[in-house]
Amino acid sequence: MSSTTEKTKQVITSSELLEHWQGHRALTRKVIEAFPDEALFNHSIGGMRPFAAMVMEFLAIAGPGIKQIVTGETEKLEENIDHANDKKKVLELWDKTTEVINEYWAKIPEEKFHDTILTFGEYEGTVWSSIFYFIDNEIHHRGQGYVYLRSLGIEPPYFWER
Amino acid sequence: MSSTTEKTKQVITSSELLEHWQGHRALTRKVIEAFPDEALFNHSIGGMRPFAAMVMEFLAIAGPGIKQIVTGETEKLEENIDHANDKKKVLELWDKTTEVINEYWAKIPEEKFHDTILTFGEYEGTVWSSIFYFIDNEIHHRGQGYVYLRSLGIEPPYFWER
């Protein structure tokens, strides 16, 4: 057991939470890459959405979600993002959101994480619980993407690869 | 935006993180309940494990994982738990672990979350990153359980139900 410093006398710091999320997002990026081009946009099990549609949900939530935490303005949940059925385009959108998250995250002071917010004008919570929801929702649906890949006979990336 | 107090001038408190995890565990319990008895133990997609085997992994990690954070003693990762192919038994094991987590969590002081530990004698991390791994791993595999349910024509519980 290493000793703790005064600075880290809390469960998790803001910069650790950002790194944690971007680590998960790096894994999701690998899952997108692992899909064959067509399957990303049309493979489905049990009437569920293709993985690309889940990814559009992640993008609709992540950037605008962090923005509204910083600005206090209501963002629309807009999942209808033009990806042109093109994996390269999906990955470009992904990388742009990575930058948006980093840019706006730097503007959230640690004392703001317990403020109450209404994300997308609809979902009430604290800043921390909203961000945890964004992350958990991505892990949840990405896990579904793993089943899609397995059902296609493709080995998904290791879960601990970030 | 509500105002913050001195007490909550951090991203998330220890008791909030416990409540967050137990909320997720309550949802996982509902997913277990949603499975037909036989399918819980034998339904599979793409060569993956049945959901019951994933649940045994959650149980192998959660209780012993929190115990070793408190005691500093190495626990074995023992997924070979006798569930007797009985959903009732699985739910009983689940509820016992709920109590174990609550009992041991109360013994983790907040300044310990940045200590370095080697969970199950194998996985190095901080206390917080280990606990996040326990939670994230459960969300990930539970998401896979959702696909199993959908492929059986069963509507899973809402993701936000905790």
Side-chain angles (χ1 to χ4, degrees), chain A residues 22 26 45 63 83 88 121 145:
Chain A
Q22 294 288 26
I45 295 174
H83 54 54
K88 237 192 210 162

Side-chain angles (χ1 to χ4, degrees), chain A residues 43-49 144 147-148 151, chain B residues 45 147-148 150-151:
Chain A
H43 186 67
S44 158
I45 295 174
M48 296 174 70
R49 295 173 290 175
Q144 300 177 336
V147 186
Y148 285 14
S151 75
Chain B
I45 294 174
V147 186
Y148 286 13
R150 288 278 182 197
S151 75

Side-chain angles (χ1 to χ4, degrees), chain B residues 3 6 9 11 28-29 41 44 50 52 56-57 63-64 82 92 104 116-117 122 131 144-146 155-156 158:
Chain B
S3 67
E6 202 60 37
K9 255 197 177 172
V11 174
T28 305
R29 196 184 192 285
F41 300 99
S44 157
M56 293 308 113
E57 183 185 295
D82 183 24
E92 275 173 30
Y104 282 86
T116 300
I117 54 162
E122 253 187 281
I131 293 170
Q144 301 176 336
Y146 272 60
E155 176 115 13
Y158 292 118

Side-chain angles (χ1 to χ4, degrees), chain A residues 143-160:
Chain A
Q144 300 177 336
Y146 272 61
V147 186
Y148 285 14
L149 287 174
R150 288 278 182 201
S151 75
L152 292 164
I154 295 166
E155 175 115 15
Y158 291 118
F159 180 62
W160 55 86

Side-chain angles (χ1 to χ4, degrees), chain A residues 4 16 24 111 114-115 136, chain B residues 2 4 16 24 111 114 136:
Chain A
T4 54
E16 286 164 345
H24 269 301
E111 52 271 24
H114 281 83
D115 282 1
D136 294 350
Chain B
S2 74
T4 56
E16 285 164 345
H24 269 301
E111 53 269 25
H114 281 83
D136 294 349

